[in-house]
Amino acid sequence: MDLPNIFTKEVSEQVINRINQLQNSSQPLWGKMNVAQMLAHCCVTYEMIYTDKHPKPNFLMGFMLKKFAKKFVVSDKPFPKNSKTAPVFIISDEREFESEKNRLIEYIRQTQILGEYAFDGKLSHSFGELSANEWNNMFYKHLDHHLNQFGA
């Protein structure tokens, strides 16, 4: 694994502990989202796996995502501050902090329990088949980026 392995209980609990450091009053060090919106934003990745809430991209958009975004998203290179966000990930309405925090923690725990073997070769909503390492990088780096955004 290029980044800490989110599929292990130790790493997933470390991430959850960082989430639990957040408060409704936590302020971002950069970006436009408030803390509840950020938590909802982080849930979108998991919603794409565990729900039918988000439609899959059409053929052309899927091709573009695989060709131009996949390598950036699943690599071990950190996201730059104020990176452009895909429209489906933009949370502009107000969200309830505790509810979003609990949802994200549940998704992280559910994913950890399923384990990396459940994800190795699993189809991503946007990027096609990913290895367990690519899933790990995508999960961990996205969470780490936004927890750093809020100083956690």
Side-chain angles (χ1 to χ4, degrees):
M1 295 285 165
D2 298 329
L3 295 171
N5 187 349
I6 195 79
F7 294 113
T8 67
K9 187 162 183 68
E10 177 186 18
V11 172
S12 63
E13 289 301 320
Q14 287 171 356
V15 169
I16 289 167
N17 288 338
R18 290 171 66 192
I19 292 168
N20 282 324
Q21 292 173 14
L22 297 169
Q23 298 178 15
N24 191 37
S25 59
S26 296
Q27 295 296 309
L29 302 174
W30 71 86
K32 299 174 185 174
M33 292 184 285
N34 66 38
V35 68
Q37 290 169 325
M38 177 275 288
L39 294 167
H41 165 88
C42 288
C43 284
V44 172
T45 301
Y46 297 97
E47 289 169 353
M48 289 180 173
I49 297 165
Y50 298 117
T51 76
D52 292 324
K53 183 176 181 177
H54 305 284
K56 290 185 179 178
N58 64 33
F59 177 79
L60 180 59
M61 182 55 74
F63 175 79
M64 300 294 279
L65 288 168
K66 288 175 196 167
K67 184 82 172 158
F68 299 108
K70 177 181 175 180
K71 186 175 180 179
F72 172 68
V73 172
V74 302
S75 75
D76 61 349
K77 293 181 180 163
F79 292 124
K81 294 176 183 175
N82 295 310
S83 303
K84 190 162 178 120
T85 301
V88 71
F89 284 87
I90 295 172
I91 308 295
S92 55
D93 59 327
E94 286 304 311
R95 300 298 178 100
E96 202 280 309
F97 172 75
E98 285 296 328
S99 173
E100 296 301 335
K101 181 175 93 167
N102 291 333
R103 254 181 5 111
L104 181 56
I105 289 170
E106 263 315 298
Y107 281 137
I108 293 167
R109 286 193 170 134
Q110 182 178 359
T111 301
Q112 186 274 314
I113 289 167
L114 284 172
E116 63 188 293
Y117 298 108
F119 285 85
D120 195 31
K122 183 174 179 60
L123 288 177
S124 158
H125 204 72
S126 303
F127 304 123
E129 188 175 305
L130 298 179
S131 69
N133 187 54
E134 290 171 322
W135 279 106
N136 176 70
N137 288 350
M138 182 172 63
F139 288 139
Y140 184 84
K141 137 169 137 171
H142 189 231
L143 291 167
D144 184 61
H145 172 78
H146 287 295
L147 290 171
N148 286 334
Q149 178 186 16
F150 282 83

